[in-house]
Amino acid sequence: MSKYIDNLNNYYVNTYSRSNICFTSGKGSILVDENGKEYIDFGSGIAVNGLGICNEKVNEAVIKQLNKIPHTSNLYYNEPQGTLAETLIKRTGMKRVFLSDSGAEANECAIKIARKYSFDKYGDNRNVIVALNNSFHGRTVTTLSATGQDVFHTYFMPFTEGFRFAAAGNLDAMKSALTKDVCAVIMELVQGEGGVVALDKDYVKAVAELCDKHDILLIIDEVQTGNGRCGNLYAYMEYGISPDVVTTAKGIANGLPLGVTFVGDKAEYTLSAGTHGSTFGGNLCSCAAAVEVLKQLDEQLFKDVKAKHDYIIKELSGCKGVKSVTGMGLMLGIDCEDNKAVLKACREKGLIVLTAKNKIRLLPALNIPDELLKQGVEIIKEVLK
Ligand SMILES: *Cc1c(COP(=O)(O)O)cnc(C)c1O
């Protein structure tokens, strides 16, 4: 075991069960460990390096910004945040963005918006947010409170009040959850950590209509599904809905930290001066990266993502040992026996995959070359045999 591995084992808080590999470099969809062994990357970090490791144009933009000015504070104006905000708004039809550093923070902002929107309009006692069973919204105390998995609701009591849960995909359950005290619904369109399960389109549309009818804000958590991952800029575009708030993070800056909270018409002016903020939020290098990422997230890439999705489904579903393959775009879950053993066997053969619940989760780079995709899929097939 290397000194770096020892250092983290000895001096880092023990919150992760890390695999015994120390990656030292990478390029595109290839990762290299400290012994020079190469791996095909079907994880992209966790849906972060969506355009490949060390994407040339992204890195160029970051280095240029780093050498100009990496930070100014949000008390002044700057170029990269403005360019990014304009691009995001023009491509989504939302009205404004707030920039932070992570998915949990983007969701915290969304939760504050929902509560203040309702408080401004209806006063106290209308502050409950309905989330779905099996969801995941982050690791802060409040976003854990919004997460619909009991395993996350231990140790850190008291959790934030005002969250209610409904079974995912069950419209009657949603109807009964939407009582007079509800200000918002929050959902992932493809539940990621929950096992890569896409919600039914009719269900999502019906929930959107209910929210609209009762002036309940619909918050779509696209931290994982966004930025091309599901074959469109944001997954909500594939569902044909117009959410009031959208959050994203993971893939938006291809490896640099950035969270985005979009607001639509209703909540455009909800947060006012002094009601929210972040020292590092919208870091200028992260924004420069995101501007370049968005240039590469074009229609051709979305088509490629869908074609790669079809290829993986064709190769793996019905394969020996596979119960089902679920998900959208290049966000896929394979239901198989003993996913931990499969992950380990893949790693030994030079392929990095992830897990989600009892599944193998695949989140390859959106621009992974067909040849590497094929090699990786062949490794999975071999291992499943
Ligand atoms: C990863 C994730 C989060 C949390 O993002 P962080 O950047 O780790 O805070 C929130 N929601 C979803 C759907 C995620 O996949």
Side-chain angles (χ1 to χ4, degrees):
M1 243 187 267
S2 80
K3 173 159 171 24
Y4 309 123
I5 291 177
D6 286 344
N7 279 349
L8 284 170
N9 285 336
N10 292 334
Y11 305 120
Y12 195 97
V13 173
N14 239 322
T15 50
Y16 303 108
S17 18
R18 299 181 196 257
S19 298
N20 262 336
I21 304 181
C22 178
F23 290 121
T24 47
S25 65
K27 182 71 196 155
S29 288
I30 296 287
L31 286 156
V32 185
D33 76 9
E34 58 185 332
N35 305 314
K37 177 171 174 184
E38 292 191 356
Y39 299 81
I40 298 171
D41 182 13
F42 272 18
S44 310
I46 303 176
V48 168
N49 302 312
L51 294 173
I53 299 154
C54 291
N55 184 285
E56 259 168 56
K57 293 225 165 99
V58 174
N59 280 16
E60 258 172 43
V62 171
I63 290 164
K64 211 167 140 199
Q65 187 60 43
L66 184 68
N67 286 326
K68 268 199 227 164
I69 181 168
H71 175 84
T72 62
S73 102
N74 286 317
L75 303 173
Y76 304 92
Y77 291 88
N78 65 73
E79 189 270 313
Q81 287 181 350
T83 305
L84 176 60
E86 182 191 25
T87 311
L88 287 170
I89 294 313
K90 293 213 161 135
R91 290 189 63 180
T92 57
M94 300 297 283
K95 281 290 154 77
R96 288 173 186 271
V97 291
F98 179 86
L99 301 176
S100 54
D101 306 304
S102 67
E105 277 178 286
N107 285 336
E108 286 272 346
C109 177
I111 290 162
K112 286 174 76 174
I113 287 167
R115 294 228 167 123
K116 185 165 184 297
Y117 173 82
S118 191
F119 178 84
D120 289 347
K121 219 164 155 181
Y122 303 100
D124 276 333
N125 302 322
R126 190 182 182 274
N127 49 39
V128 171
I129 296 174
V130 176
L132 299 183
N133 287 344
N134 207 37
S135 58
F136 181 80
H137 297 297
R139 292 282 192 166
T140 61
V141 172
T142 297
T143 54
L144 280 178
S145 307
T147 289
Q149 302 184 51
D150 288 337
V151 287
F152 291 108
H153 298 163
T154 49
Y155 313 125
F156 312 115
M157 287 72 79
F159 286 93
T160 307
E161 283 175 42
F163 290 93
R164 184 178 299 151
F165 297 95
N170 181 332
L171 193 58
D172 287 331
M174 180 57 77
K175 279 182 185 157
S176 20
L178 295 183
T179 47
K180 280 198 170 69
D181 53 358
V182 173
C183 67
V185 169
I186 184 168
M187 56 170 66
E188 304 152 86
L189 295 172
V190 182
Q191 295 189 321
E193 306 305 312
V196 202
V197 191
L199 294 182
D200 176 72
K201 284 191 182 161
D202 292 333
Y203 165 78
V204 171
K205 278 191 184 152
V207 172
E209 274 167 32
L210 277 173
C211 286
D212 196 43
K213 191 168 153 207
H214 299 287
D215 198 20
I216 290 166
L217 295 190
L218 178 60
I219 304 168
I220 302 296
D221 178 345
E222 299 239 20
V223 172
Q224 194 163 152
T225 54
N227 315 303
R229 180 55 55 190
C230 290
N232 208 322
L233 186 54
Y234 291 101
Y236 78 80
M237 296 166 171
E238 291 287 298
Y239 277 77
I241 54 166
S242 307
D244 301 299
V245 181
V246 176
T247 60
T248 196
K250 291 192 168 88
I252 182 78
N254 206 55
L256 293 195
L258 185 65
V260 182
T261 308
F262 295 84
V263 286
D265 289 304
K266 280 191 179 176
E268 181 177 358
Y269 298 107
T270 298
L271 291 181
S272 49
T275 58
H276 196 50
S278 164
T279 300
F280 285 114
N283 172 268
L284 304 190
C285 293
S286 300
C287 288
V291 168
E292 184 49 47
V293 165
L294 285 160
K295 282 185 197 159
Q296 296 182 38
L297 295 181
D298 58 15
E299 290 304 320
Q300 184 57 52
L301 186 72
F302 301 152
K303 263 192 211 143
D304 294 349
V305 166
K306 286 174 175 155
K308 284 169 179 158
H309 166 100
D310 291 346
Y311 170 76
I312 297 176
I313 297 279
K314 180 176 73 105
E315 291 295 313
L316 292 182
S317 57
C319 197
K320 193 167 170 268
V322 175
K323 288 178 222 158
S324 68
V325 187
T326 56
M328 265 177 93
L330 285 175
M331 179 171 176
L332 293 164
I334 306 168
D335 196 355
C336 57
E337 286 297 327
D338 200 352
N339 64 342
K340 300 250 158 61
V342 172
L343 175 136
K344 205 163 160 250
C346 284
R347 194 167 69 215
E348 270 152 25
K349 291 183 185 294
L351 174 72
I352 299 298
V353 297
L354 300 164
T355 60
K357 286 268 176 83
N358 61 341
K359 293 187 180 171
I360 287 290
R361 177 169 42 158
L362 308 182
L363 297 163
L366 309 178
N367 59 4
I368 184 171
D370 287 335
E371 189 46 41
L372 288 180
L373 184 68
K374 191 168 169 222
Q375 282 177 34
V377 166
E378 291 305 321
I379 291 175
I380 295 172
K381 279 180 162 172
E382 232 174 87
V383 164
L384 286 169
K385 259 197 279 179

